Amino acid sequence: MSQDITLQQIAEGVPKTLLNASDRDIEGFQRIIEETIKLREAHRNLQKMVKSFSTSTIQRT
């Protein structure tokens, strides 16, 4: 099972190249993070849908 990463762990893992990045680079990184969050939420929703479907299928049989 995956373990959630803390904000401190993220901050400690930020490389110096990112800290010295341009505004444009940071904006690109921000878009990647935003899309990653959307993907994570979609994955969670999909897991819930599959679980709900599996539960309803089992109850029907």
Side-chain angles (χ1 to χ4, degrees), residues 5-19 29:
I5 190 166
T6 65
L7 186 57
Q8 180 177 349
Q9 290 170 318
I10 292 172
E12 290 171 350
V14 173
K16 289 184 181 182
T17 52
L18 184 58
L19 295 175
F29 183 68

Side-chain angles (χ1 to χ4, degrees), residues 33-59:
I33 295 296
E34 289 169 354
E35 292 302 318
T36 302
I37 291 169
K38 288 178 189 176
L39 181 62
R40 183 177 175 189
E41 291 171 354
H43 183 256
R44 286 181 177 169
N45 290 338
L46 180 59
Q47 286 179 317
K48 288 177 187 177
M49 289 172 62
V50 169
K51 184 177 180 179
S52 175
F53 178 78
S54 297
T55 302
S56 67
T57 301
I58 292 169
Q59 289 175 353

